Amino acid sequence: MTTSAHQRIEAARKRFGSRLAILGHHYQNEAVIRHTDFQGDSLELARKIEGLDAEHVVFCGVYFMAESAAALARAGQKIHIPHADATCPMADMAPAPRVEAVLNELNAQGRKVVPLAYVNSSAEVKAVCARFGGSVCTSANARVMMEWAFQQGDAVLFLPDRHLGDNTANLMGLPQSQRLTVGIRPGQPAADADKAARARLLLWPGSCAIHHALKKQLIDDIRAAMPGVKVVVHPECPPAVVKAADSAGSTSHIIRYCAQAEPGASIAIGTEVNLVLRLAERHRAEGKTIVPVKTMRCTNMAKTTEERLAELLDNLEAAAPLSLPAEVAEQSRVALARMLQICS
Ligand code: 13P
Ligand code: SF4
């Protein structure tokens, strides 16, 4: 009789006991998430690492999240990711050498430009941020961290998600005239010197293709089709979408929004569909109708399957853990620790 992936995973969890912890991001599918010891948004997952005693930490999410876990892990702790190709394409839009070159150019003009990287960025980029006196943020603390970054210098370079940067600046009331999108093509200037000298917020031109594709028209359509519906979206969506929604925030914010809604409420959600379907199921008995504004699927999150998790756990002792070059680990930890300390 063949053993199912489900049985192999549960057998490994028994075998390893407290030596193993499985963490999962809210976008993971149900077959994976049911095996996790802890689920969270990017901030909660990063916070969780510091208190974990387990020798093996299996991170079900995308690569940058596991990298952050590796940077924050204690000595001897092994961080594993079931599918190393599960990358975040937005993180790949900001290669570290380009970020460093743009920062050098902007700072050469005499002003202090402080980098603030969304955690959806590589460990190398986080290390660059640490070297330039900056830090990182998640969608859950972007405003607090942007306010902090403004206090550290004359201007902030926010990367790689221009929508999260714009949406956060909107919350802070920063005028459009003080924002500037930088050029990132090698061999071309990052910005016109005069414009850069006037800008307080410099935005990297990256975005999440999945959230970027959510258009305001879809919110108008769903409001017409479901009178009284409340709309909650992730702040990686374009500013016009965030403005048209009733609320915007991290995946944990979206979860709380659904939990706090009155019984019988109708809620349309603009984020990855695995989370939307889980919330629809969780709150069905309370008479809440929860639907996606649009079916948005992160194919990279989906690379972690139950079978893939089982394969990793079958041979966990022999598996090579995620390893960062010592300097990158050290410096990215500085950037992450700054955020965790500011937002403690
Ligand atoms: P959260 O930090 O809100 O969980 O979001 C992570 C992410 O990748 C959203 O696309
Ligand atoms: Fe990256 Fe977008 Fe997937 Fe989030 S949903 S992990 S930002 S590609």
Side-chain angles (χ1 to χ4, degrees), residues 25-27 40-43 64-65 118 120 138-140 208 211 234 236 249-252 301:
H25 184 265
H26 292 309
Y27 289 165
D41 67 10
S42 308
L43 181 60
F64 76 81
M65 296 177 177
Y118 188 27
N120 297 42
T138 75
S139 58
C208 162
H211 287 89
H234 197 278
E236 286 175 12
S250 70
T251 50
S252 295
M301 284 282 181

Side-chain angles (χ1 to χ4, degrees), residues 25-300:
H25 184 265
H26 292 309
Y27 289 165
Q28 291 293 299
N29 69 52
E30 212 46 50
V32 169
I33 214 88
R34 64 185 167 166
H35 298 294
T36 56
D37 300 296
F38 183 78
Q39 305 96 41
D41 67 10
S42 308
L43 181 60
E44 293 165 335
L45 292 170
R47 276 216 182 103
K48 191 76 191 166
I49 299 299
E50 288 188 318
L52 275 184
D53 283 337
E55 175 190 345
H56 295 280
V57 179
V58 174
F59 206 107
C60 301
V62 284
Y63 198 77
F64 76 81
M65 296 177 177
E67 274 190 334
S68 295
L72 292 167
R74 61 173 169 72
Q77 200 165 37
K78 301 176 187 83
I79 308 293
H80 305 268
I81 180 163
H83 201 307
D85 290 342
T87 57
C88 168
M90 174 163 64
D92 297 338
M93 288 177 187
R98 276 316 298 153
V99 174
E100 184 147 24
V102 167
L103 278 164
N104 278 330
E105 183 185 325
L106 295 171
N107 278 292
Q109 294 166 8
R111 294 203 312 159
K112 184 173 179 203
V113 177
V114 178
L116 183 63
Y118 188 27
V119 282
N120 297 42
S121 54
S122 68
E124 284 83 1
V125 164
K126 294 180 177 87
V128 172
C129 289
R131 292 205 294 279
F132 279 81
S135 185
V136 297
C137 71
T138 75
S139 58
N141 62 18
R143 181 174 181 168
V144 173
M145 290 308 299
M146 197 181 275
E147 280 166 355
W148 172 86
F150 276 127
Q151 287 160 15
Q152 310 308 306
D154 304 305
V156 172
L157 173 66
F158 189 88
L159 68 144
D161 186 1
R162 69 184 154 124
H163 292 326
L164 180 62
D166 258 332
N167 287 323
T168 309
N170 287 344
L171 287 176
M172 291 171 61
L174 189 80
Q176 285 291 345
S177 58
Q178 295 183 19
R179 308 181 202 178
L180 182 68
T181 302
V182 293
I184 58 170
R185 288 222 181 99
Q188 289 184 3
D192 171 85
D194 286 345
K195 284 186 185 158
R198 285 194 299 275
R200 291 204 63 220
L201 179 63
L202 297 140
L203 294 162
W204 196 269
S207 62
C208 162
I210 295 142
H211 287 89
H212 176 76
L214 189 57
K215 303 290 174 223
K216 179 185 172 293
Q217 183 61 50
L218 290 171
I219 295 188
D220 297 344
D221 292 349
I222 209 147
R223 287 199 195 279
M226 296 175 72
V229 72
K230 294 289 182 197
V231 180
V232 56
V233 301
H234 197 278
E236 286 175 12
C237 292
V241 168
V242 168
K243 277 189 192 141
D246 296 289
S247 184
S250 70
T251 50
S252 295
H253 170 87
I254 293 170
I255 292 168
R256 279 194 302 276
Y257 190 90
C258 292
Q260 287 164 6
E262 294 294 321
S266 297
I267 305 168
I269 302 180
T271 199
E272 217 280 345
V273 71
N274 279 326
L275 175 59
V276 184
L277 297 180
R278 185 171 308 126
L279 290 170
E281 187 60 35
R282 185 177 298 169
H283 295 293
R284 186 162 295 129
E286 299 152 40
K288 296 179 190 173
T289 304
I290 298 179
V291 295
V293 178
K294 173 181 190 252
T295 301
M296 296 150 73
R297 218 173 276 284
C298 177
T299 50
N300 279 283

